[in-house]
Amino acid sequence: MVELPDKRTAFIDWYLAVVEAANLSDKRYGIKGMNVWTPYGFRARRNLDRVLVREIEATGSQGVEFPALIPATEFAKEKEHIKGFDAQVFWVTKGGATELDVPLVLRPTSETAMYPIFALWVRSHRDLPLNVYQIVNTFRYETKTTRPFVRVREIHFFEEHTCQLDEARATERVRSNLGAFRRMAASLALPYLAVRRPKWDTFPGADYTIAFDLPLDGVRTLQLGSVHHYRDNFSIPYGIRYEAPDGSTHAVHQTTFGLSERLLGAIVGAHGDQRGAVFPSEIAPYEVVIVPVVAGAGGTAVARAAEDVAEELRRAGRRVVLDDGDERPGAKYFRWELAGVPLRLEIGPRELEHGQLTSVDRLGRKASVARASAPADVARRLEELDAELVRRALDGLRSAIAPAARLEELTGSKQVRVLGWCGDEACGHEVERAIDGALLGTPEEPLPVPFAAPTSCIACGRTDGVRTALAAQPM
Ligand code: ZN
C-alpha cells in the first residue's frame, strides 16, 4: 500500500508520488529530465495526441514532420529568437570523429527548421494559408529541477505553424487556435485562464503571446500552452514571400500554437486526489476496469461473464482492462484507483444472479448497472464523471482567483490576483517582486468569476490607461 503525501500541503511531493505510483513515467533514465514513457503512460499520451490532432485538423491544419537537427546558420537568422533560446539548446558538433563545418542544433522548437522550407513552399497567394502542425520531440537544456511532464529536457511537443496573407488573417488564426484549445481543454476536463503575456514575457521573436494558465495547487500556476502572433518577424529574415494577384510581393504573417505533455501533468495535478490519479474518460489509458469478484463456487461462471462484458464493451469502442489476476479484489481496487481509471465494474455471483454489475466511478460513486444495457450505462456514467471533474476543477479555479487593491496584499499571496495595471514595465516588475512571481498578463477571455474592473494601477496609482491584469507564482 502506498501512502500519498498530502496534496494540499505538499503538492509537488504528492504529484511526483502519483506519477510514480500510477506508473505513468519512469524517471530512472540516465539523463535528467529525459523520462521513459511506460506502456500505461504511453496510452494516456496517445489519447492526448488523438484529441489534439482531431481538434487542430478540424480547423484545416495538416500534419507534417521536419528533421530534428537544424544548421546553426539557419538557427541564427531571427535575432530575438536566437537570443531567447541560445542558452537552452543542445549542440551536435561532430559526425563520428570529424568536426562538422556547420554545427547543428537539436531543435528546441521548429521555426528555424521549417521556415527555410516554407520560403520554398509559399510562392503565390494561392499557396496561402499554409496551416501545418507536427507532434515531435524537442530538446531544451533545462537547468532548473525537472519534473515528469511538467518540466523536462526532452519534450513531447505539439506545434502548429501557419503562414497567412496579412496581419488580420493571422489574427483570425490566433482566434481559431483559441477556439481549438477551448475544445481540447474540454476533452481534458480542464478549465484555464487565457492571458496575453506582457511584452517582456513574449515568446522570443513573437509580436505577442497568449498563454493558457491553470492554478494547480492553490499556489502556483502551470502554463498549459500558448499561441503566438509573429507578424512578419520571421518571414522577412527567412524570405517567406508571396506574389499577390496584382504582381506585388509581400512577406507572410505567421502564427504558432504550442502544447506538450504538460497537459498530462495538468490532468494529474488538477483532477488527482489522495487516492491517486483521476483521468477524464477521453484521456484515460483504460476507461473501464472489470474486476471479477469470485468467492468459492461459481468462479467459472463469474469469470466467463466478466470476459463477455469486457468483450461487449470493447466492441462498443471502450478501452477496457479485465483484471482477473489472483490478488484480492480490495488490492485491485486500490491499484486501479491509484492509476486513475474512471470506472470500475464489479461482477460476482450475486450480480450474475440478478443480471447486474456494480459500477463504482473514480470519485467513489456507486450504482447498479443492468448487464443487458452495460455499454449505454457505462457511456452515461463516464459522461457523468467527466462533467463532475469539470465542475470540481472549475470550482477550484474560481476559488484560486481573488482581487488585490494594494501591493502589500500580494506578499505571500497563494492565489491568482486580479489587479489594475497601467501597462508600464516598471510597474509590472514591481508587481512581480511583491508577489515573488510573475505578472501573467491581461485576460484575453472573460474570467470565470466576474470582478469589478480596477480603476487604478496597483503600483503607481495612475488612473489613465488602466487594464485588468493577473499576477501569480508560476510553477
Ligand atoms: Zn503603474
Side-chain angles (χ1 to χ4, degrees), residues 425-445:
E425 183 162 347
C427 289
H429 292 319
E430 245 186 271
V431 168
E432 295 187 326
R433 276 192 296 276
I435 200 162
D436 193 21
L439 186 80
L440 299 176
T442 54
E444 190 68 20
E445 293 170 351

Side-chain angles (χ1 to χ4, degrees), residues 422 427 457 460:
C422 65
C427 289
C457 175
C460 70

Side-chain angles (χ1 to χ4, degrees), residues 155-188:
I155 306 165
H156 181 68
F157 198 46
F158 161 98
E159 49 182 328
E160 190 199 45
H161 294 256
T162 87
C163 297
Q164 312 291 334
L165 276 173
D166 53 25
E167 196 280 328
R169 284 178 178 84
T171 299
E172 275 171 32
R173 189 65 197 169
V174 166
R175 306 315 306 177
S176 163
N177 283 162
L178 296 188
F181 186 71
R182 193 173 310 123
R183 292 185 294 276
M184 293 167 180
S187 288
L188 317 185

Side-chain angles (χ1 to χ4, degrees), residues 15-349:
Y15 173 82
L16 296 173
V18 170
V19 168
E20 189 162 328
N23 197 17
L24 291 165
S25 171
D26 194 325
K27 62 178 183 205
R28 293 172 296 180
Y29 192 71
I31 305 176
K32 172 184 135 153
M34 295 190 177
N35 299 330
V36 175
W37 291 91
T38 61
Y40 190 67
F42 189 82
R43 280 175 168 274
R45 188 184 100 175
R46 200 167 48 189
N47 295 337
L48 172 65
D49 287 351
R50 190 184 302 128
V51 168
L52 305 189
V53 167
R54 181 186 71 208
E55 297 304 337
I56 202 66
E57 292 199 346
T59 68
S61 210
Q62 300 193 79
V64 293
E65 193 167 323
F66 278 70
L69 292 173
I70 303 167
T73 42
E74 294 296 347
F75 185 66
K77 273 187 186 164
E78 206 290 325
K79 301 261 169 316
E80 291 301 317
H81 188 69
I82 170 108
K83 214 164 35 169
F85 278 103
D86 211 17
Q88 291 185 51
V89 295
F90 288 98
W91 289 94
V92 176
T93 56
K94 283 165 102 176
T98 313
E99 291 283 341
L100 299 176
D101 291 340
V102 177
L104 305 172
V105 168
L106 199 47
R107 63 180 163 216
T109 168
S110 299
E111 282 77 1
T112 59
M114 291 181 169
Y115 297 174
I117 301 299
F118 283 8
L120 304 173
W121 287 357
V122 176
R123 310 306 280 177
S124 146
H125 62 97
R126 289 184 202 90
D127 299 323
L128 298 173
L130 175 67
N131 299 329
V132 296
Y133 73 91
Q134 65 180 11
I135 300 182
V136 296
N137 287 9
T138 59
F139 301 84
R140 296 184 190 173
Y141 181 65
E142 182 63 65
T143 51
K144 294 184 196 159
T145 307
T146 55
R147 313 268 189 224
F149 310 135
V150 171
R151 198 186 297 126
V152 289
R153 285 177 164 180
E154 181 168 7
I155 306 165
H156 181 68
F157 198 46
F158 161 98
E159 49 182 328
E160 190 199 45
H161 294 256
T162 87
C163 297
Q164 312 291 334
L165 276 173
D166 53 25
E167 196 280 328
R169 284 178 178 84
T171 299
E172 275 171 32
R173 189 65 197 169
V174 166
R175 306 315 306 177
S176 163
N177 283 162
L178 296 188
F181 186 71
R182 193 173 310 123
R183 292 185 294 276
M184 293 167 180
S187 288
L188 317 185
L190 290 178
Y192 60 91
L193 305 167
V195 185
R196 189 179 292 230
R197 290 278 184 258
K199 202 70 204 161
W200 62 89
D201 197 16
T202 294
F203 180 82
D207 182 53
Y208 66 83
T209 289
I210 296 169
F212 312 111
D213 293 312
L214 177 62
L216 268 190
D217 57 348
V219 183
R220 277 155 301 191
T221 56
L222 182 67
Q223 177 174 314
L224 303 180
S226 49
V227 176
H228 315 283
H229 194 314
Y230 288 174
R231 298 187 78 99
D232 50 11
N233 296 349
F234 286 87
S235 60
I236 289 176
Y238 285 91
I240 313 173
R241 306 182 66 83
Y242 69 94
E243 191 177 304
D246 65 4
S248 58
T249 65
H250 307 270
V252 299
H253 278 247
Q254 292 184 276
T255 70
T256 58
F257 177 13
L259 300 167
S260 74
E261 77 258 57
R262 241 185 209 198
L263 290 167
L264 282 183
I267 287 171
V268 171
H271 301 310
D273 59 22
Q274 283 315 120
R275 290 186 295 147
V278 182
F279 279 104
S281 62
E282 275 210 73
I283 306 304
Y286 300 107
E287 294 163 290
V288 181
V289 56
I290 299 176
V291 179
V293 183
V294 190
T300 318
V302 167
R304 193 176 308 127
E307 275 169 30
D308 289 349
V309 173
E311 190 48 38
E312 201 179 331
L313 289 174
R314 284 191 189 114
R315 274 202 306 271
R318 292 293 164 201
R319 297 185 298 280
V320 180
V321 58
L322 171 63
D323 189 352
D324 54 6
D326 61 4
E327 266 175 312
R328 287 179 306 100
K332 293 180 183 177
Y333 300 167
F334 180 82
R335 195 157 40 76
W336 291 110
E337 281 177 1
L338 210 47
V341 176
L343 197 66
R344 178 174 83 230
L345 293 179
E346 302 164 10
I347 180 163

